[in-house]
Amino acid sequence: MDYLLTEEQVMLRDLCREITVEKIIPVAGELDKSEKFPWDVVKVMAESDIFGVYIDEKYGGMGGGLMELCIAIEEFSRGCAGIALAFSATALGTDPIILFGNEEQKEKYLPDIASGKKLAAFGITEPAAGSDASAMQTTAKKDDDHYILNGTKHFITNGGDAEIYTIVAMTNKSKGARGASIFIVEKDTPGFTFGKKEDKMGIRGSSTRELIFTDCKVPKENLIGREGQGFIIAMRTFDMSRPGIGAQALGIAQGSLDVAVKYAKERKQFGKPISSFQGIQFMLADMATQIEAARALVYASARQIDAGAKNLAKDSAMAKMFASDTAMKVSTDAVQILGGYGYMHEYPAEKFMRDAKITQIYEGTNQIQRNIIALNLIKETSK
Amino acid sequence: MNIIVSIKQVPDTTQVRIDPETNTLIREGVESIINPFDMYAIEEGVRLKEKHGGKTIAITMGPPQAEAALKEAISMGCDEGYLISDRAFAGSDTLATGYTLAMAVKKIKDFDIILCGKQASDGDTAQVGPGIATQLDIPQVTYVKKIEDIKDKVATVERMTEEGFEIVKTSLPCLLTVVKEINEPRIPSLKGRMKAKKAIIPTWKAIDLDVDEVRLGLTGSPTWVSKIFTPPPRPKGKIFEGEPEDTTTQLTDLLKDRLV
Amino acid sequence: MSIKIITDKCTGCTLCVKICPFGAITMVSKKAVIDLDQCTLCGACVDSCKFDAIELKRDSSKTPNLEDYKGIWIFGEQKKGVIQSVVYELLGKAQDLAKKLNTKVCCVVLGHNMKNNLKELIHRGADKVYVVDAPELENFLDEPYTKVLVNLLRKYRPEIFLCGATFIGRSLVSRVAVKLHTGLTADCTGLDIDEKEKFLLQTRPAFGGNIMATILSKNHRPQMATVRHKVFKEADVDTTRKGEVIEETVSKTLLTSRTKLLDIVEEVTSTVNIAEADIIVSGGRGMKSPENFEILEELAKVLGGAVGASRAAVDSDWIPYSHQVGQTGKTVCPKIYIACGISGQIQHLVGMQSADIIIAINQDSSAPIFTVANYGIIGDLFKVVPLLTAKFKKALNQ
């Protein structure tokens, strides 16, 4: 389907596709096994100006928006959603600075992120605070020119490999959600250490670690926005990032379909390619249609945000939820079409299926997304 | 340091098919690409500029649509591109092509190194690079797999041979033809692509170059193609399928006499 | 065509006098003067003049005095004083051509202390061997080799000049042809003489071997071609053959070079030089790991062949680039080519499809390699290759 991309967006898509075909797909299987961080690919992305697509030209970026970000994430995820995370999780970690950072913070951090010199990560989840972010235990105590951070974040994508972290911590626990604040923490800050690297089901080409803060002294200039704004900033960040997860899911779904179609045309049974059987044809037709519907939703929500729409929560939740459910379904069907081969590590279908699962879980489980959609729906209709 | 990269647009040989009726090349629908070997020359030219300063200029001789090859070279980091294109150049063999390109280089004037791919994938002659060098009367090193060092107007390079390589020193200006081993061409960056899109490529016609007209195109080409034909297809092979024990015995029996 | 001295520019340096192969230039009142009766318009003086004082106007469509060009010359490529085998192949072919033209075969050797190694050239069919001996010519360098060859070709004017399409040959004669302003056809796989017009018919592959083209240089001499190694049979040795060795001395100015050879590094042992091998055992993506190339090495050892590889295997760092066969690697022409776990992308096929016999071993019966294979085995190469090694070994009584 023609989504009427601009000439620049087509150029970006072609570039990302080239990187995916030449640099990501050849190493995806290997990194899935070894769980090594894709530094070689990161270097290529950086040299290709990809890390700056959504960052203002003033800070060395390419001046694009969420739509550009989604195009890049989708293309990379079509090759490997794990490798794509080095890029997309950096965007997530950068969003709080772009949205609420002051000029000094933007000037200090954005150019290095735009050039790909430094990766970023976002830290909110804790062992006891997943969907319920208000149960957060990490604290930040003001001490003269500094805040002292204590606590543990876990399941943090890019943790340990990123240089710049945006961390949510409680500055006033008694205020609950209104007592949270966001800080920029640099990697080599004393008192900031990393836990073990998680051994995951999918997206194994990405790194996921614990962040441990022990009397970690962060300069007060590193507070983003004001004290107590943390939760609002986090929610705004998620509103922005959900279409990105949608795009990642879209890439996984498309990658699975690519594999399934190719296989169905090559694989012969009963003397004919299996693509000539209606049972397979119907599956492929459904997969393709579901992907297109998801793409329409993801692109529409990204474009709406770029156009400056308010009240983003419902639409971006829909995009994330629908695209990730589609990815799970399509990648499962792709394994089914490949049959026994689909179940083997030697073929890429099962990897897409493992990678797809996380998109229904992180940055708000799809159950939380449905909550958001329903609550907003009810609110809208009761006006 | 100024570098000139001489490139050629070629049909993607992986897509070329033969019309079995007429025995001619089917070129319709075949994409044009930069000669794969020239990609290494462009990359090396851009790397040299990044290391030593100066600029990298891409030139190509070809039809108007060869402009796309120069734009791609610019997207990879070349600073300028010049298209040498005129009906008068049509039918040039390697002698006339080398002459024409050499005259274009003379027009650019200021250069230290000319880089070419070792050969073009359509003609496979490997003659145009040395042709340019000879017409310009500058030294050449062919099949370069590494540029070790450039200083004080002297380049030290490694030249591939059948048995390994030679280390050769050459004075500048010079012409180098490069092999695949020399580098890995970059994927053009977003900024590079945008720059290429906006780039204006001047076209140089015969009249813009200080050329002797009898040395151009068909008249300037000593070689004539008298016949083109498709090589006879290989006879259909004998394919064995089954237990490796049996298939290998069958093959060994068939080949035994030819191995001695 | 015409030639003249621009007297204003002539400084009387006498370089052109020394370089002229025909003694056609003399100094009159400290200015060069050309004796047009002696001059053949060869252009040697133009190249030698540092002051652009000699102007040669060429009529590009023809070499003057075409009919004066006689004989077939072969470039006697040597490395470390050893004549390369491609030269013997050329001598074989040149004898056929010479018969059709009723002319002689000459071989030209540039090197140092070569004189004692030249008998075999005569035994293999050269009627005359021209040798230029100088320390500057011990190893190949483009400039002195070009200048010396151009000098000799201008002096002796053969109608055909052939050279191996080697790294040296292709680099060198590209320069020589431009200097002589004549046609050159690269990498020929077929040579013949046109019966009526007596032209050299030069046949070569183009578009990666998808088509063949026959090329002529009707109006220019010498007709020059580089010839692919291993296409023609080596000339037989006949120790009773007689011939003449002629030592040529050349002016020192022809031996200067702006490039210098610092070192020669030999990486490839004779057992793995795929360009020379009669049998090549090649591995592709299906080899899966560098260690697995051992089974190919074993097979190659039994057959006395070399190990090659596809681009996929080289790009995965399983084997060095010097083993790569195909468009971006080497073009090979062995008697037997055994492709193991190579699917047969067109880029690979163009590098090996002129092998006499192609054997494909692949699990995938639809792999394109089977379309060019004379023999194929569909099966697991890790089972097939060791079995083949054992069976060939037995068949060869090793």
Side-chain angles (χ1 to χ4, degrees):
Chain A
M1 206 169 280
D2 186 354
Y3 290 95
L4 305 174
L5 301 183
T6 65
E7 224 175 311
E8 286 76 15
Q9 287 167 343
V10 171
M11 206 183 267
L12 171 68
R13 188 194 59 197
D14 292 349
L15 166 58
C16 294
R17 195 164 288 176
E18 214 174 314
I19 294 174
T20 304
V21 170
E22 286 181 22
K23 306 291 174 184
I24 295 181
I25 291 174
V27 300
E30 184 51 42
L31 294 183
D32 180 53
K33 262 191 222 118
S34 67
E35 288 197 281
K36 288 219 177 77
F37 196 78
W39 282 115
D40 291 347
V41 183
V42 166
K43 190 167 167 261
V44 173
M45 289 176 182
E47 286 167 352
S48 306
D49 309 317
I50 295 297
F51 280 98
V53 283
Y54 57 93
I55 294 173
D56 203 321
E57 282 166 288
K58 201 166 136 195
Y59 308 109
M62 301 301 293
L66 186 55
M67 184 62 193
E68 281 74 17
L69 182 64
C70 285
I71 289 171
I73 296 173
E74 179 188 346
E75 287 303 329
F76 294 150
S77 302
R78 198 167 162 177
C80 175
I83 294 174
L85 268 175
F87 168 66
S88 58
T90 291
L92 177 67
T94 309
D95 277 344
I97 305 177
I98 294 176
L99 291 171
F100 291 89
N102 59 34
E103 196 51 37
E104 290 73 33
Q105 289 166 340
K106 287 182 180 175
E107 270 172 20
K108 184 169 177 195
Y109 294 106
L110 293 184
D112 281 351
I113 294 172
S115 68
K117 220 169 116 187
K118 290 178 178 172
L119 300 184
F122 184 63
I124 182 165
T125 305
E126 295 184 5
S131 296
D132 179 11
S134 61
M136 199 181 300
Q137 302 292 317
T138 301
T139 57
K141 229 177 104 190
K142 185 105 189 263
D143 176 29
D144 274 347
D145 294 350
H146 290 83
Y147 285 90
I148 312 289
L149 269 63
N150 277 292
T152 300
K153 298 284 169 188
H154 86 164
F155 297 166
I156 305 305
T157 308
N158 281 356
D161 292 300
E163 299 283 330
I164 298 162
Y165 295 80
T166 42
I167 301 295
V168 189
M170 303 303 284
T171 37
N172 189 341
K173 241 181 168 173
S174 63
K175 284 193 181 166
R178 286 167 191 276
S181 303
I182 295 201
F183 300 91
I184 304 168
V185 186
E186 292 180 44
K187 190 180 184 178
D188 46 12
T189 309
F192 179 20
T193 54
F194 302 100
K196 71 168 171 58
K197 191 167 172 169
E198 303 292 346
D199 183 6
K200 304 187 292 290
M201 171 186 183
I203 53 166
R204 292 167 61 86
S206 72
S207 58
T208 309
R209 283 193 182 83
E210 262 183 347
L211 314 182
I212 303 158
F213 300 97
T214 320
D215 292 332
C216 174
K217 244 172 113 176
V218 177
K220 73 172 195 308
E221 300 85 61
N222 286 18
L223 171 70
I224 299 178
R226 293 191 310 275
E227 263 190 42
Q229 265 191 324
F231 211 66
I232 295 166
I233 297 174
M235 288 310 113
R236 283 292 309 280
T237 297
F238 285 137
D239 288 346
M240 294 281 290
S241 70
R242 277 187 212 111
I245 301 297
Q248 185 189 28
L250 203 50
I252 295 171
Q254 185 65 54
S256 312
L257 181 64
D258 295 344
V259 169
V261 171
K262 182 169 180 278
Y263 182 86
K265 280 158 71 180
E266 286 170 359
R267 171 73 172 174
K268 284 196 183 117
Q269 288 289 277
F270 308 105
K272 281 192 279 188
I274 62 168
S275 61
S276 66
F277 301 127
Q278 212 173 40
I280 300 289
Q281 287 176 351
F282 282 5
M283 285 176 82
L284 292 173
D286 284 345
M287 290 157 80
T289 310
Q290 285 151 4
I291 290 173
E292 219 55 82
R295 185 172 287 123
L297 194 48
V298 169
Y299 286 8
S301 92
R303 283 174 160 160
Q304 172 177 268
I305 292 170
D306 285 339
K310 304 265 184 289
N311 304 325
L312 316 167
K314 188 184 79 182
D315 296 336
S316 71
M318 284 177 166
K320 189 265 181 187
M321 179 197 87
F322 187 77
S324 56
D325 285 351
T326 299
M328 197 63 240
K329 175 153 193 330
V330 169
S331 61
T332 309
D333 287 347
V335 169
Q336 190 68 24
I337 288 174
L338 267 74
Y341 293 103
Y343 201 67
M344 301 299 153
H345 283 311
E346 207 178 327
Y347 286 76
E350 62 83 33
K351 175 180 176 296
F352 281 118
M353 186 174 158
R354 284 185 285 113
D355 288 350
K357 189 65 212 171
I358 192 63
T359 61
Q360 292 181 306
I361 298 172
Y362 66 6
E363 287 189 47
T365 62
N366 280 6
Q367 286 65 38
I368 291 289
Q369 305 303 330
R370 286 180 169 87
N371 275 340
I372 295 169
I373 296 163
L375 286 175
N376 279 281
L377 179 71
I378 292 160
K379 206 162 79 185
E380 281 166 22
T381 49
S382 37
K383 268 177 203 164
Chain B
M1 190 161 71
N2 288 338
I3 296 128
I4 296 173
V5 187
S6 176
I7 64 175
K8 183 180 186 187
Q9 193 181 46
V10 297
D12 189 345
T13 30
T14 61
Q15 297 180 7
V16 173
R17 296 285 173 271
I18 307 291
D19 183 336
E21 301 281 307
T22 59
N23 258 357
T24 50
L25 285 176
I26 306 170
R27 294 184 79 153
E28 277 153 39
V30 175
E31 235 179 285
S32 288
I33 56 168
I34 293 181
N35 167 36
F37 295 105
D38 294 344
M39 297 295 278
Y40 306 108
I42 295 170
E43 177 65 31
E44 200 61 21
V46 173
R47 287 187 191 187
L48 285 177
K49 172 191 76 168
E50 285 166 353
K51 193 169 165 195
H52 300 277
K55 63 180 177 183
T56 304
I57 298 169
I59 60 172
T60 192
M61 181 174 126
Q65 56 268 32
E67 186 191 57
L70 294 169
K71 289 214 161 189
E72 194 176 337
I74 289 174
S75 75
M76 287 174 73
C78 289
D79 300 275
E80 295 164 26
Y82 295 94
L83 175 65
I84 298 135
S85 185
D86 194 322
R87 291 297 308 161
F89 303 144
S92 293
D93 72 355
T94 55
L95 185 72
T97 305
Y99 171 71
T100 311
L101 286 167
M103 296 320 273
V105 169
K106 276 193 179 165
K107 188 176 166 86
I108 295 170
K109 224 156 93 186
D110 186 20
F111 71 94
D112 300 283
I113 295 180
I114 302 173
L115 292 166
C116 304
K118 73 159 179 165
Q119 65 199 52
S121 62
D122 54 351
D124 282 327
T125 70
Q127 283 164 202
V128 172
I132 298 172
T134 314
Q135 303 271 11
L136 292 169
D137 191 29
I138 56 171
Q140 74 191 32
V141 185
T142 49
Y143 307 104
V144 171
K145 72 180 192 82
K146 189 179 176 189
I147 297 178
E148 284 186 354
D149 174 47
I150 298 174
K151 68 173 176 238
D152 306 329
K153 290 259 163 198
V154 172
T156 310
V157 304
E158 291 177 6
R159 173 185 195 272
M160 212 168 124
T161 64
E162 280 87 356
E163 296 82 17
F165 62 94
E166 299 169 346
I167 302 170
V168 179
K169 216 164 78 172
T170 177
S171 66
L172 302 187
C174 70
L175 180 139
L176 308 175
T177 75
V178 302
V179 297
K180 177 196 166 196
E181 225 184 350
I182 195 164
N183 59 43
E184 192 187 337
R186 71 192 64 192
I187 294 173
S189 72
L190 207 49
K191 282 178 190 158
R193 281 166 206 245
M194 289 187 174
K195 190 180 151 205
K197 206 185 95 191
K198 288 186 208 128
I200 292 162
I201 310 282
T203 301
W204 288 346
K205 294 184 163 297
I207 203 168
D208 300 310
L209 306 174
D210 183 21
V211 287
D212 179 356
E213 271 173 44
V214 295
R215 297 183 69 181
L216 301 178
L218 216 46
T219 6
S221 300
T223 56
W224 303 47
V225 178
S226 77
K227 195 170 81 174
I228 287 185
F229 58 101
T230 9
R234 294 187 78 93
K236 207 169 156 39
K238 218 173 155 53
I239 311 293
F240 304 106
E241 195 169 3
E243 280 306 307
E245 189 56 48
D246 305 332
T247 55
T248 51
T249 306
Q250 285 164 314
L251 184 67
T252 318
D253 288 347
L254 267 169
L255 282 175
K256 231 173 0 203
D257 305 331
R258 310 198 60 153
L259 286 170
V260 189
Chain C
M1 286 195 42
S2 65
I3 192 162
K4 67 171 186 203
I5 306 282
I6 303 162
T7 28
D8 289 353
K9 287 188 182 172
C10 179
T11 62
C13 73
T14 76
L15 265 176
C16 54
V17 178
K18 286 179 202 144
I19 214 84
C20 178
F22 305 98
I25 308 179
T26 47
M27 299 305 290
V28 179
S29 325
K30 292 196 174 165
K31 299 280 177 191
V33 174
I34 301 173
D35 177 354
L36 292 174
D37 290 337
Q38 301 286 326
C39 175
T40 67
L41 299 168
C42 77
C45 51
V46 181
D47 297 337
S48 75
C49 182
K50 290 185 174 144
F51 308 98
D52 293 331
I54 309 173
E55 190 181 72
L56 175 68
K57 279 231 167 88
R58 286 179 200 274
D59 170 5
S60 203
S61 56
K62 222 168 171 171
T63 302
N65 311 322
L66 215 66
E67 50 295 329
D68 292 354
Y69 287 75
K70 291 273 183 284
I72 300 174
W73 275 42
I74 304 291
F75 177 63
E77 179 176 336
Q78 58 87 13
K79 278 180 179 171
K80 292 180 165 175
V82 179
I83 299 290
Q84 300 296 293
S85 58
V86 68
V87 178
Y88 301 134
E89 295 163 16
L90 291 175
L91 280 171
K93 190 70 201 174
Q95 288 177 71
D96 294 348
L97 300 176
K99 249 179 242 149
K100 293 184 183 175
L101 288 170
N102 193 21
T103 188
K104 299 228 181 277
V105 176
C106 305
C107 186
V108 54
V109 179
L110 276 53
H112 188 42
N113 296 330
M114 289 288 301
K115 281 162 229 166
N116 302 324
N117 307 346
L118 305 175
K119 268 212 189 93
E120 189 168 353
L121 291 170
I122 290 167
H123 295 160
R124 297 239 198 197
D127 298 304
K128 286 182 185 170
V129 177
Y130 293 93
V131 56
V132 185
D133 194 294
E136 292 91 338
L137 298 174
E138 184 172 3
N139 294 302
F140 169 71
L141 280 173
D142 284 288
E143 288 189 285
Y145 268 59
T146 301
K147 285 185 278 186
V148 169
L149 262 186
V150 166
N151 183 270
L152 293 179
L153 292 170
R154 277 174 175 154
K155 187 168 160 190
Y156 290 101
R157 295 198 268 178
E159 60 200 293
I160 292 171
F161 180 71
L162 304 175
C163 171
T166 57
F167 283 86
I168 288 178
R170 295 184 79 167
S171 186
L172 167 65
V173 290
S174 297
R175 263 184 112 90
V176 172
V178 171
K179 282 278 178 207
L180 296 176
H181 200 80
T182 189
L184 167 62
T185 306
D187 208 25
C188 293
T189 54
L191 293 174
D192 205 350
I193 301 294
D194 179 79
E195 279 181 19
K196 224 168 86 202
E197 309 264 12
K198 305 290 175 198
F199 296 134
L200 179 65
L201 303 171
Q202 310 158 64
T203 300
R204 67 180 304 265
F207 284 97
N210 281 310
I211 57 166
M212 305 295 288
T214 302
I215 291 168
L216 307 178
S217 293
K218 288 186 185 171
N219 298 323
H220 294 77
R221 294 292 178 275
Q223 304 162 80
M224 293 182 46
T226 61
V227 179
R228 193 179 284 185
H229 189 21
K230 298 247 160 220
V231 172
F232 298 125
K233 226 175 119 265
E234 281 187 19
D236 293 329
V237 178
D238 174 1
T239 49
T240 64
R241 271 194 61 114
K242 295 268 176 302
E244 203 184 337
V245 175
I246 301 152
E247 280 185 52
E248 288 282 332
T249 45
V250 294
S251 152
K252 280 276 170 199
T253 57
L254 297 183
L255 300 174
T256 56
S257 179
R258 287 171 288 186
T259 59
K260 273 197 184 66
L261 180 67
L262 301 182
D263 199 5
I264 298 175
V265 182
E266 288 186 10
E267 292 177 313
V268 191
T269 59
S270 58
T271 53
V272 293
N273 186 350
I274 54 174
E276 290 283 336
D278 283 333
I279 296 175
I280 297 173
V281 184
S282 259
R285 200 188 294 282
M287 296 309 296
K288 298 205 170 129
S289 79
E291 298 77 40
N292 291 334
F293 270 81
E294 269 171 39
I295 61 170
L296 301 189
E297 274 158 30
E298 279 159 30
L299 177 56
K301 210 170 111 194
V302 167
L303 298 174
V307 174
S310 74
R311 177 175 180 164
V314 172
D315 284 355
S316 306
D317 284 333
W318 296 343
I319 185 164
Y321 171 62
S322 51
H323 294 257
Q324 186 180 322
V325 173
Q327 193 179 64
T328 50
K330 286 176 181 156
T331 302
V332 295
C333 193
K335 294 202 172 67
I336 301 178
Y337 188 89
I338 308 178
C340 308
I342 293 176
S343 66
Q345 297 299 317
I346 183 78
Q347 293 95 326
H348 187 75
L349 301 185
V350 301
M352 44 63 84
Q353 62 190 0
S354 44
D356 293 348
I357 299 177
I358 296 169
I359 300 168
I361 301 166
N362 207 302
Q363 208 151 20
D364 176 7
S365 61
S366 63
I369 190 79
F370 286 115
T371 63
V372 299
N374 302 73
Y375 304 106
I377 292 182
I378 299 166
D380 179 358
L381 73 93
F382 296 107
K383 292 195 185 107
V384 171
V385 173
L387 277 169
L388 269 183
T389 307
K391 285 175 185 172
F392 281 142
K393 204 170 182 175
K394 209 171 140 203
L396 293 165
N397 288 321
Q398 286 179 357

